[in-house]
């Protein structure tokens, strides 16, 4: 085989040389070349190994529909499955072939081809059923190694952004139809966006010489002139290198722009741009796709679609082979024949499936005049070769004629690219003359023009577009005169697959080249009962590759219709789903990565925490100190034991600024709060606080916190750190949807106040030192009261409350003053043993006291009654959210899981969270029947103050089991730990410390 | 991605809104008067039709107002949007020719070709 440069049609290629590497080998092409055109220019046709059978594969097409020539682009963050027929080369580009090992020419996985009888349709489902454990350990690793396409990149690296457009008209496709449509909008009041997948306009005009001239101009001149006119029109914008990948409801289109075309963009610029487009009208001018024919070994390198072969000649100036065989069933291939002859490259044979009387006279005359060997009413039965086609077998009038060749150009007809139209939920209709689906009824404001609508006749194009856009007011009239080089009417004979002359393990007739699905697989699947097209697709994986079967999905419908003896519209199509072409995840992510996706929220004290060796814990988006490392080498356990002990001996301070805070105001605030929470607020005195619970309508605990009542019209509620947004949203929802008659307003004030919790026996002394003018005595400042005080030029709210069980205070201060006050408290507490503590110590201390944490001791299936919190329920209230559910038969059951304390009988034993509570003391060696369990441990900590583990658990009917001996499982042993069920308040049950 | 016409702010992208499920399921005014079955129907049971559906939305990344919408769940068409205090439209206002639950609308579900 010998490729030559087509110097006659060199318009899209510059003479500037560009080199890149393919599998480590240096390849030189021209600027403007795609990887595929550069490889063909260098006589390289073997570019990959197939998905399942590892068969050698070459370049099959010249565009976005490519099933075979998929490569990995190492220089673009290892982007896998890039189409070599689309991606343009640049200096220094590094490209590798995929799915071959150890090398492309010598591939060990190719043995799969000889094992193909076991790889038939549904083989994954049938073969890997057992024995147990084999899938994970044996089958999956082997399949992963030998099947598949490119390797996923190890790191997320590529940079992309999102652009938004709001326009009146989108024209998808800047080919001849799209350009004629665009001319209608020049200098009108419409905002127009033209989206072109190539780096240049003109579409099929660049692919062939089917059209001689438009309006007296050579086609290339006409494209230039038209682009110039469009560019000067201020209301029209052109996006090139941009592919529309989805067409969603409400005329919403997603398009991907590749910025790494012809060169890598500079480091500070995006490599991919995802365009999100809203439009009033969508004009689909996205053209047609040529399809294959299924015959024996139609996947061999050297077999190429005829239209693509011609595209290489005219777009890239490379003639992949000087004397190919052409095999067609339609009139579109004539221009390839002509293009070759005009370059003095004579096809070695022209095989037309149509009978002589159906073939255009001009074609027959041309073949005869140029003395080209041709067969009519004939077909290529198959071809042979190893890494490249060597001979083709032509069936003509019952004879098989063997011809030597290096390339075979195939055309199975063309069909409108209906992918986007069907994504938009439009209806398509089968055309019995063109043997294809055509757009029929649009569901949205969609106008389909040109070959995308099934109009393959250039002469009718201008009238078609005129008629279809007429309803838009103020569009321009266009006069387009087209002189063709070929017959205007498209003509085709029906043929889908060709019966093979001989059978062997090697000989396969493919329907989906990318996924290695054969015609035989389709037949077998139908025999096995998968005769519905959606079932058939999944069972055989037909058209499920990255190319979505663009060149063959219609063929499979044709083949299936023949097997089932039904019409194609009865067979129907599978749903066309977005994306039309593969969409990189990084493009979808855009700028929403890392801190832009998940911001880190820090309290005003954050810098102090860092200076004091805090180890942080993520609570929602917040960074909270988990514990403070006192000295080098201190472990978390040591730190938490130290903090917990010191707090109960002297005092500790916690940064509680992340707590959610919601302000509720209004004439009916009291009634609203009574409905939202279980607690009764009516008799509560102003300037006092209460521990509160919020339930769902199902009676389960949703959140807890402290509500402070300033007066009946003004409350401040705290929420858990993670629950704040949801609690506010729920309040708003009920206020608007259920009780619109209540005059009440709510607002998040989480970030308006920093919060510190100071607790421990010395906390009163420290507070007195910091706020010397405030009386902190029990009489003047009792438990669960609060007040506002002047502080510098602002106000602080101080509340007597505690989550540790010790005497404690909560300080609320505007964040601007927070760090300064925090430092002042430290300075004052230094000699009194004040210790900073983190969330882990907070959890330990509250567990000693038997206080629950929502989300740890509850899980959405726990009622206040289950937690012995009956005292928090305002029983005299007529209603509150979830009240009725508390008396439902299921919530009122006495054997529900209830909160209890767990005390190990052997005080040295360790109890782990999440472990099961069991009635039996020993687990059997081999578990044969499920072991009944009573519940699970929700919280467990080693108490430095009690010197043993304290744990809480949810246990079936736990309230009645006080004092009973049960067992806790241990994940490392079959031994269980004997424990006693006790009251969960382990420390200070009489609240002496709390109220001191 | 739908365009939703917030009755307070105007047309906005769907990503600014949250769906609140079926509309017009009023919270019983006196829950204690209901038996367990009646109450649990309010708490747990919602309809999920293919076709015309009256549902609630909230403009959560906007004005935070709740409102109602009538949507065809088979095609995603939003047929009507109205405020909470407005009278809900009657079902007869909309053509609902779906053969639910397994039927498909003739146009809009994307699954069908024109039959002769
Ligand atoms: Zn709004």
């Amino acid at each position: 085989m010998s490729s030559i440069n087509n110097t006659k049609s060199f318009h899209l290629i510059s003479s500037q040389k560009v080199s890149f590497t393919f599998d480590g080998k240096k390849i030189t092409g021209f600027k403007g070349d795609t990887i595929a055109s550069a490889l063909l220019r260098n006589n390289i046709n073997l570019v990959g190994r197939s998905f399942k059978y590892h068969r050698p594969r070459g370049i099959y097409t010249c565009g976005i529909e490519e099933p075979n020539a998929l490569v990995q682009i190492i220089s673009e963050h290892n982007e896998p499955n890039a189409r070599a027929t689309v991606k343009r080369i640049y200096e220094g580009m590094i490209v590798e072939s995929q799915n071959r090992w150890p090398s492309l020419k010598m591939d060990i996985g190719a043995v799969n081809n000889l094992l193909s009888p076991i790889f038939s349709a549904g083989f994954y489902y049938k073969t890997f059923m057992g024995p147990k454990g084999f899938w994970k350990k044996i089958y999956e690793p082997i399949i992963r190694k030998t099947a598949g396409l490119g390797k996923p990149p190890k790191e997320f690296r590529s940079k992309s952004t999102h652009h938004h457009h709001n326009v009146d008209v989108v024209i998808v496709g800047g080919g001849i139809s799209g350009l004629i449509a665009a001319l209608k909008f020049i200098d009108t009041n419409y905002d127009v966006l033209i989206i072109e997948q190539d780096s240049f306009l003109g579409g099929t005009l660049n692919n062939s010489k089917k059209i001689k001239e438009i309006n007296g101009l050579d086609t290339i001149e006409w494209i230039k002139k038209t682009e110039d006119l469009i560019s000067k029109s201020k209301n029209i914008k052109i996006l090139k290198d941009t592919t529309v990948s989805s067409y969603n409801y409400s005329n919403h289109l997603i398009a991907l722009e590749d910025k790494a075309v012809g060169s890598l963009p500079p480091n500070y610029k995006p490599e991919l741009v995802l365009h999100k487009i809203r439009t009033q009208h969508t004009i689909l001018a996205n053209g047609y796709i040529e399809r294959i024919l299924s015959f024996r070994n139609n996947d061999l390198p050297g077999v190429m679609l005829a239209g693509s072969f011609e595209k290489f000649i005219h777009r890239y100036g490379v003639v992949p082979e000087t004397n190919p065989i052409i095999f067609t069933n339609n009139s579109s291939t004539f221009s390839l024949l002509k293009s070759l002859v005009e370059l003095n490259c004579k096809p070695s044979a022209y095989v037309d499936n149509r009978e002589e009387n159906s073939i255009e006279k001009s074609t027959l005359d041309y073949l005869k005049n140029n003395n080209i060997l041709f067969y009519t009413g004939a077909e290529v039965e198959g071809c042979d070769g190893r890494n490249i086609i060597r001979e083709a077998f032509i069936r003509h009038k019952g004879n098989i004629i063997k011809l030597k060749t290096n390339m075979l150009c195939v055309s199975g007809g063309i069909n409108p690219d209906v992918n986007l139209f069907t994504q938009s939920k439009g209806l398509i209709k089968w055309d019995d003359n063109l043997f294809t689906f055509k757009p029929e009824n649009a569901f949205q404001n969609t106008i389909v023009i040109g070959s995308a609508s099934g109009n393959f006749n250039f002469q009718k194009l201008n009238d078609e577009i005129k008629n279809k856009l007429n309803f838009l007011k103020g569009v321009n009239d266009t006069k387009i005169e087209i002189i063709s080089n070929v017959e205007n009417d498209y003509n085709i004979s029906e043929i889908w697959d060709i019966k093979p002359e001989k059978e062997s393990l090697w000989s396969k007739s493919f329907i989906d080249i990318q996924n290695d699905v054969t015609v035989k697989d389709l037949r077998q699947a139908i025999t096995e009962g998968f005769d519905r097209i959606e079932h058939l697709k999944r069972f055989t994986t037909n058209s499920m590759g990255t190319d979505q079967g663009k060149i063959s999905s219609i063929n499979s419908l044709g083949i299936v219709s023949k097997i089932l003896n039904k019409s194609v519209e009865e067979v129907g199509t599978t749903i066309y789903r977005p994306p039309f072409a593969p969409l990189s995840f990084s493009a979808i992510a855009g700028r929403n990565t890392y801190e832009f996706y998940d911001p880190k929220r820090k309290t005003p004290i954050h810098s102090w925490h860092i200076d004091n060796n805090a180890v942080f814990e993520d609570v929602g988006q917040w960074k909270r100190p988990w514990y403070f490392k006192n000295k080098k080498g201190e472990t978390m356990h040591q730190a938490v034991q130290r903090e917990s002990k010191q707090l109960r001996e002297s005092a500790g301070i916690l940064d509680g600024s992340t707590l959610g805070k919601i302000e509720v105001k209004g004439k009916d605030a009291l009634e609203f709060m009574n409905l939202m929470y279980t607690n009764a607020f009516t008799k509560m005195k102003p300037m006092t606080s209460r521990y509160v619970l919020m339930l769902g309508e199902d009676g389960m605990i949703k959140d807890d916190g402290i509500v402070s009542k300033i007066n009946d019209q003004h409350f401040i509620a705290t929420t858990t750190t993670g629950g704040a947004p949801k609690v506010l949203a729920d309040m708003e929802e009920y206020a608007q949807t259920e009780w619109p008659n209540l005059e009440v307003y709510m607002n998040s004030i989480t970030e308006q106040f920093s919060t510190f919790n100071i607790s421990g026996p010395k906390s009163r002394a420290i507070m007195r030192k910091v706020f010397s003018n405030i009386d902190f005595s029990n009489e003047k400042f009792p438990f669960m009261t609060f007040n506002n005080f002047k502080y510098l030029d602002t106000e602080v709210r101080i509340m007597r409350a505690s989550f540790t069980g010790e005497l404690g205070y909560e300080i609320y201060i505007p964040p601007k003053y927070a760090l300064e006050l925090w430092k002042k408290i430290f300075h004052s507490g230094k000699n009194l043993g004040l210790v900073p503590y983190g969330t882990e110590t907070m959890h330990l201390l509250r567990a000693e006291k038997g206080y629950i944490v929502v989300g740890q001791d509850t899980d959405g299936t726990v009622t206040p009654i289950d937690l012995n919190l009956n005292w928090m329920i305002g029983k005299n209230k007529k209603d509150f959210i979830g009240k009725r559910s508390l008396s439902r038969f299921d919530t009122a059951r006495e054997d529900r899981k209830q909160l209890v304390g767990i005390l190990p009988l052997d005080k040295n034993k360790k109890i782990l969270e999440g472990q099961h509570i069991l009635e039996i003391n020993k687990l059997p060696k081999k578990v044969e029947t499920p072991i009944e369990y009573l519940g699970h441990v929700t919280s467990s900590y080693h108490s430095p103050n009690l010197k043993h583990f304290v744990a809480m658990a949810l246990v079936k009917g736990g309230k009645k089991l006080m004092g009973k001996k049960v067992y806790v499982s241990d994940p490392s042993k079959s031994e269980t730990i004997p424990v006693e069920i006790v009251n969960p308040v382990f420390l200070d049950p009489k609240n002496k410390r709390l109220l001191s | 991605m739908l365009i939703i016409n917030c009755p307070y702010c105007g047309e906005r992208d769907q990503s600014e809104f949250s769906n609140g499920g079926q509309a017009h399921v009023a919270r019983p005014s006196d829950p204690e008067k209901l038996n367990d079955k009646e109450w649990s129907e309010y708490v747990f049971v919602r309809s999920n039709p293919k076709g015309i559906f009256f549902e609630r939305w909230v403009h959560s990344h906007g004005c935070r107002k709740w409102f109602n919408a009538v949507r065809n769940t088979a095609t995603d068409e939003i047929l009507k949007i109205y405020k909470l205090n407005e009278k809900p439209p009657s079902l007869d206002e909309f053509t609902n020719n779906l053969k639910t639950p397994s039927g498909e609308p003739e146009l809009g579900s994307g699954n069908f070709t024109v039959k002769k």
Side-chain angles (χ1 to χ4, degrees):
Chain A
M1 134 161 172
S2 53
S3 76
I4 55 165
N5 287 337
N6 163 28
T7 46
K8 281 188 188 167
S9 200
F10 217 40
H11 69 282
L12 293 169
I13 291 285
S14 75
S15 55
Q16 191 190 327
K17 288 198 169 169
V18 172
S19 47
F20 66 105
T21 65
F22 178 68
D23 281 346
K25 197 181 153 205
K26 190 176 167 185
I27 309 278
T28 304
F30 293 111
K31 191 171 167 57
D33 261 334
T34 59
I35 297 168
S37 66
L39 291 174
L40 288 172
R41 206 181 283 291
N42 288 277
N43 283 318
I44 296 170
N45 208 325
L46 176 65
V47 294
R49 288 274 169 178
S50 75
F51 183 72
K52 205 157 78 179
Y53 301 129
H54 285 242
R55 287 166 70 102
R57 291 289 165 82
I59 295 157
Y60 215 89
T61 72
C62 185
I64 198 157
E65 67 271 37
E66 177 61 33
N68 271 346
L70 303 182
V71 292
Q72 191 130 15
I73 305 190
I74 308 299
S75 51
E76 287 174 32
H77 319 296
N78 289 312
E79 181 76 15
N81 307 333
R83 283 145 302 190
T85 49
V86 170
K87 193 73 196 167
R88 285 175 202 285
I89 58 168
Y90 48 84
E91 195 63 43
M93 187 187 215
I94 304 168
V95 182
E96 277 183 9
S97 59
Q98 298 184 157
N99 199 26
R100 82 286 188 268
W101 183 76
S103 77
L104 191 53
K105 283 207 172 122
M106 216 195 86
D107 176 74
I108 285 174
V111 70
N112 282 4
N113 186 66
L114 301 175
L115 299 175
S116 58
I118 67 157
F119 282 98
S120 62
F123 88 108
Y124 286 107
Y125 308 115
K126 292 171 186 163
T127 316
F128 303 109
M129 295 289 285
K132 199 180 152 222
F134 262 50
W135 173 256
K136 212 173 159 52
K137 288 201 181 97
I138 300 188
Y139 299 140
E140 195 183 349
I142 293 175
I143 291 169
R144 292 234 178 266
K145 200 173 167 71
T146 58
L149 300 167
K151 293 187 184 71
K154 285 215 167 59
E155 276 177 79
F156 177 86
R157 290 282 296 277
S158 64
K159 303 184 294 291
S160 67
T161 58
H162 292 177
H163 285 189
H164 294 261
H165 307 262
N166 277 286
V167 294
D168 301 316
V169 176
V170 165
I171 302 174
V172 181
I176 181 168
S177 310
L179 290 176
I180 294 173
L183 287 171
K184 298 208 169 284
F185 294 101
I186 283 181
D187 294 326
T188 60
N189 288 327
Y190 294 94
D191 245 334
V192 180
L193 187 66
I194 303 174
I195 304 173
E196 170 52 50
Q197 67 184 18
D198 283 318
S199 307
F200 39 81
L201 300 176
T204 55
L205 294 176
N206 301 301
N207 298 357
S208 70
K209 290 276 173 251
K210 283 191 174 79
I211 292 179
K212 190 165 177 245
E213 55 183 61
I214 305 174
N215 291 351
L217 294 172
D218 168 71
T219 52
I220 302 305
E221 288 303 314
W222 181 79
I223 295 168
K224 275 187 191 150
K225 195 187 156 199
T226 308
E227 180 167 7
D228 196 46
L229 284 171
I230 294 168
S231 306
K232 281 183 184 142
S233 177
K234 291 202 169 71
N235 60 320
I236 308 181
K237 193 181 162 158
I238 306 173
L239 285 174
K240 293 178 186 172
D241 300 310
T242 306
T243 307
V244 176
S245 66
S246 33
Y247 187 160
N248 305 320
Y249 183 61
S250 64
N251 269 307
H252 180 241
L253 281 75
I254 305 272
L256 180 68
E257 182 180 5
D258 186 0
K259 289 281 190 186
V261 176
S263 65
L264 277 179
N267 203 25
Y268 55 88
K269 290 231 168 133
E271 292 166 355
L272 296 165
V273 179
L274 194 74
H275 296 274
K276 299 181 172 181
I277 305 146
R278 295 269 183 198
T279 172
Q280 298 299 316
H281 301 279
T282 307
I283 298 175
L284 292 178
N286 53 328
Y288 64 87
I289 284 185
E290 189 166 26
R291 56 189 188 226
I292 61 165
L293 285 170
S294 295
F295 51 86
R296 197 168 53 77
N297 298 335
N298 59 338
D299 65 321
L300 263 181
V303 181
M304 186 185 279
L305 290 183
S308 296
F309 189 97
E310 197 179 6
K311 210 165 153 184
F312 279 114
I313 297 176
H314 296 286
R315 284 197 170 195
Y316 305 107
V318 52
V319 185
E321 159 63 38
T322 48
N323 310 102
I325 294 175
I326 297 171
F327 174 30
T328 185
N329 67 343
N330 66 85
S331 60
S332 75
T333 331
F334 174 59
S335 68
L336 166 62
L337 178 72
K338 222 166 152 236
S339 294
L340 280 167
V341 171
E342 281 167 15
L343 287 163
N344 297 320
C345 305
K346 211 159 108 178
S348 54
Y350 190 85
V351 182
D352 201 323
N353 182 251
R354 294 176 294 169
E355 296 299 335
E356 192 153 336
N357 55 15
S358 309
I359 301 174
E360 299 73 19
K361 190 174 173 295
S362 54
T363 307
L364 293 171
D365 289 347
Y366 196 85
L367 288 162
K368 285 170 195 162
N369 293 343
N370 287 288
N371 212 7
I372 294 164
L373 176 65
F374 72 95
Y375 302 92
T376 57
E379 57 197 20
V380 170
E381 168 271 323
C383 51
D384 280 319
R386 275 187 65 83
N387 281 339
I388 182 87
I389 180 173
R390 287 296 172 218
E391 48 212 11
F393 300 85
I394 294 153
R395 188 184 284 132
H396 182 240
K397 292 182 178 163
N399 300 320
I400 298 291
I401 303 142
K402 179 170 148 182
L403 288 178
K404 281 200 180 320
T405 188
N406 290 322
M407 266 193 111
L408 175 61
C409 303
V410 183
S411 177
I414 53 180
N415 43 261
D417 190 350
V418 294
N419 194 314
L420 291 176
F421 180 77
T422 48
Q423 276 191 39
S424 80
K425 299 185 178 179
L427 277 183
I428 52 176
K429 187 180 180 180
W430 183 253
D431 185 315
D432 276 331
N433 294 317
L434 303 182
F435 297 107
T436 185
F437 279 110
K438 278 161 59 174
E440 178 77 5
N441 290 345
F443 177 60
Q444 304 188 34
N445 297 340
T446 317
I447 307 138
V448 193
I449 57 170
S451 55
S453 75
N455 174 15
F456 299 129
N457 186 329
F458 294 117
Q459 299 299 342
K460 292 180 183 163
L461 199 53
N462 194 41
D463 284 345
E464 184 208 351
I465 297 171
K466 201 177 194 167
N467 290 336
K468 286 182 176 171
L469 297 186
N470 236 349
F471 76 99
L472 291 166
K473 280 190 185 119
V475 294
N476 307 321
D477 196 15
T478 44
K479 285 198 173 56
I480 303 287
E481 266 182 57
I482 295 174
I483 299 176
S484 309
N485 275 327
V486 296
E487 299 281 337
N488 289 310
D489 280 319
Y490 171 71
N491 173 290
I492 181 173
S493 71
E494 187 184 20
I495 180 170
W496 305 109
D497 70 314
I498 295 135
K499 194 177 168 291
E501 195 65 27
K502 57 176 183 181
E503 290 198 29
S504 71
L505 279 182
W506 170 257
S507 288
K508 289 186 198 307
S509 180
F510 286 93
I511 180 66
D512 180 332
I513 298 185
Q514 185 174 105
N515 266 357
D516 275 353
V517 181
T518 63
V519 175
K520 206 173 150 193
D521 288 332
L522 294 186
R523 280 184 213 285
Q524 186 200 329
I526 290 169
T527 310
E528 292 185 22
F530 294 91
D531 56 357
R532 292 296 297 268
I533 197 73
E534 293 278 7
H535 291 159
L536 186 80
K537 168 179 167 176
R538 272 126 195 118
F539 189 63
T540 59
T541 72
N542 181 41
S543 74
M544 282 169 70
T546 63
D547 65 336
Q548 296 276 289
K550 285 189 175 50
I551 60 169
S552 62
S553 64
I554 302 285
N555 300 54
S556 54
L557 303 180
I559 292 171
V560 170
S561 78
K562 295 290 170 215
I563 299 172
L564 294 174
N565 208 9
K566 282 182 176 174
S567 66
V568 176
E569 70 257 31
E570 269 182 286
V571 172
T573 70
T574 54
I575 297 179
Y576 290 82
R577 290 191 173 83
F580 168 66
L583 201 56
S584 181
F585 276 114
S586 61
I588 297 168
R591 296 292 305 274
N592 303 318
T593 55
Y594 305 109
E595 62 271 35
F596 294 107
Y597 173 70
D598 193 14
K600 293 184 177 99
R601 297 173 81 182
K602 297 165 187 168
T603 77
I605 319 299
H606 194 77
S607 62
W608 188 95
H609 296 324
I610 290 175
D611 291 343
N612 287 273
N613 305 319
V615 176
F616 291 94
E617 173 187 33
D618 289 337
V619 184
Q621 292 175 327
W622 287 103
K623 294 278 165 200
R624 295 197 71 178
W626 198 10
Y627 59 93
F628 291 85
K629 257 188 170 164
N630 202 17
K631 53 180 188 286
K632 239 189 171 176
E634 187 178 46
T635 64
M636 175 172 170
H637 177 73
Q638 288 164 342
V640 172
Q641 297 286 305
R642 169 181 57 75
E643 289 170 10
S644 304
K645 205 158 185 298
Q646 195 174 336
L647 185 140
R648 294 225 189 271
E649 280 164 13
S650 43
I653 182 167
L654 174 86
D655 181 5
S657 304
T658 62
L659 274 187
K661 300 161 206 96
I662 296 167
E663 188 161 38
V664 181
K665 275 185 173 178
K667 190 164 68 64
D668 301 313
L670 172 66
E671 190 181 346
F672 180 73
M673 294 297 277
N674 272 331
L675 284 164
M676 290 305 299
Y677 288 95
T678 61
N679 312 61
F681 297 106
T682 309
K683 286 181 185 162
M684 187 175 162
K685 288 199 185 85
M687 307 309 279
T688 63
S689 304
R690 232 166 238 187
Y691 176 54
V692 296
L693 284 180
M694 186 180 266
L695 309 184
E697 289 288 16
D698 57 1
M700 304 302 157
I701 292 174
K702 236 164 40 176
D703 205 63
D704 67 351
I706 287 178
V707 164
S708 301
K709 178 175 174 178
I710 291 152
N711 55 50
D712 283 352
Q713 283 85 46
H714 190 184
F715 293 82
I716 292 173
T718 66
T719 72
T720 55
T721 298
K726 178 79 177 114
V727 171
L728 179 67
D730 286 352
M731 284 185 172
E732 288 176 328
E733 179 181 342
Y734 275 96
Q736 288 180 43
T737 64
E738 299 298 344
W739 307 308
N741 53 314
L742 296 184
E743 196 188 316
V744 62
Y745 311 93
M746 58 234 59
N747 189 27
S748 164
I749 51 167
T750 298
E751 280 157 340
Q752 272 81 330
F753 295 96
S754 294
T755 310
F756 312 148
N757 306 58
I758 300 168
S759 61
K762 298 276 174 64
S763 53
R764 182 177 283 129
I766 296 167
M767 292 298 278
R768 276 178 178 150
K769 280 177 85 175
V770 181
F771 304 98
S772 51
N773 55 339
I774 302 174
D775 186 347
F776 286 103
S777 69
N778 238 345
E779 299 71 43
K780 288 279 173 186
F781 211 141
F783 182 56
M784 290 310 244
T785 63
F786 67 95
N787 220 324
N788 293 326
F789 302 97
K790 269 204 139 354
Y791 176 74
L792 303 179
D793 59 341
T794 185
E795 255 191 358
V796 287
R797 190 167 71 249
I798 301 176
M799 186 198 300
R800 172 99 185 261
S802 168
F803 194 43
T804 62
E806 297 291 330
L807 166 70
Y809 299 90
E810 274 186 22
I811 303 171
Y812 295 81
I813 184 161
K816 192 174 138 188
Y817 302 89
L819 185 58
E820 185 261 318
L821 176 61
W822 176 276
K823 285 179 178 165
K824 190 173 173 186
I825 294 168
F826 254 91
H827 187 73
S828 309
K830 220 177 203 171
N831 301 328
L832 294 164
L834 181 66
V835 63
Y837 68 99
T839 50
E840 191 64 18
T841 293
M842 172 185 89
H843 279 119
L844 188 158
L845 294 169
R846 63 90 200 171
E848 287 180 336
K849 183 67 182 163
Y851 292 157
I852 60 128
V853 166
V854 172
Q856 180 166 345
D857 302 296
T858 72
D859 59 5
T861 67
V862 180
T863 72
I865 303 161
D866 298 337
L867 297 184
N868 311 313
L869 295 175
N870 310 43
W871 60 272
M872 294 181 69
I873 299 169
K875 289 182 192 65
N876 296 328
K877 288 202 289 184
K878 183 169 169 260
D879 193 10
F880 59 81
I881 294 170
K883 179 169 194 250
R884 175 63 185 82
S885 282
L886 296 178
S887 58
R888 267 184 71 237
F889 71 99
D890 188 58
T891 10
R893 269 191 301 122
E894 289 193 351
D895 62 341
R896 287 177 60 82
K897 282 194 197 166
Q898 291 149 350
L899 189 82
V900 294
I902 294 286
L903 203 60
L905 295 181
D906 175 350
K907 294 279 159 67
N908 296 317
K909 288 282 183 194
K910 192 173 170 177
I911 291 169
L912 294 178
E913 280 171 8
Q915 289 305 308
H916 294 300
I917 311 285
L918 307 162
E919 271 181 309
I920 50 171
N921 66 347
K922 206 171 170 62
L923 291 173
K925 272 246 152 56
K926 197 176 169 200
V927 181
E928 267 159 356
T929 51
I931 294 166
E932 207 188 327
Y933 85 114
L934 297 172
H936 67 279
V937 178
T938 58
S939 293
S940 179
Y941 299 89
H942 182 265
S943 160
N945 301 301
L946 300 168
K947 309 231 167 15
H948 59 77
F949 268 80
V950 293
M952 287 192 260
L954 285 167
V955 174
K956 266 180 214 160
K959 286 181 203 172
K960 286 188 176 160
L961 298 178
M962 285 301 149
K964 195 177 180 235
K965 182 176 164 186
V966 290
Y967 303 88
V968 174
S969 61
D970 181 330
S972 60
K973 319 179 181 76
S974 61
E975 287 292 315
T976 53
I977 302 156
V979 297
E980 188 189 347
I981 292 184
V982 296
N983 187 315
V985 184
F986 296 95
L987 193 123
D988 189 27
K990 296 226 163 100
N991 289 338
K992 276 187 186 162
R993 286 165 167 267
L994 187 67
L995 303 173
S996 67
Chain B
M1 198 64 83
L2 306 179
I3 286 269
I4 296 173
N5 192 0
C6 171
Y8 305 93
C9 309
E11 290 189 340
R12 294 288 190 279
D13 199 284
Q14 183 191 337
S15 59
E16 293 185 14
F17 297 84
S18 309
N19 185 287
Q22 190 180 356
H24 307 301
V25 186
R27 189 173 188 275
S29 56
D30 192 350
E32 298 297 319
K33 277 198 181 143
L34 303 184
N35 64 30
D36 271 9
K37 187 167 182 290
E38 289 161 339
W39 174 250
S40 54
E41 254 166 42
Y42 162 69
V43 177
F44 302 114
V45 181
R46 295 292 182 275
S47 69
N48 181 25
K50 182 182 225 172
I52 307 296
F53 188 44
F54 290 66
E55 63 185 6
R56 307 185 310 154
W57 286 88
V58 58
H59 195 184
S60 33
H61 298 283
C63 62
R64 293 186 75 84
K65 286 274 199 182
W66 284 84
F67 57 89
N68 293 322
V70 181
R71 182 170 61 100
N72 184 335
T73 58
T75 62
D76 264 352
E77 288 165 285
I78 293 182
L79 305 162
K80 187 144 196 165
I81 282 179
Y82 54 102
K83 293 181 183 175
L84 293 178
N85 57 8
E86 282 172 335
K87 204 173 157 264
S90 133
L91 196 60
D92 303 337
E93 277 186 40
F94 313 102
T95 36
N96 191 11
N97 49 12
L98 297 186
K99 290 177 247 91
T100 52
S102 56
E104 293 284 346
E106 200 174 314
L107 186 58
S109 71
N111 200 13
F112 276 73
T113 57
V114 176
K115 306 274 196 269
K116 272 183 201 153

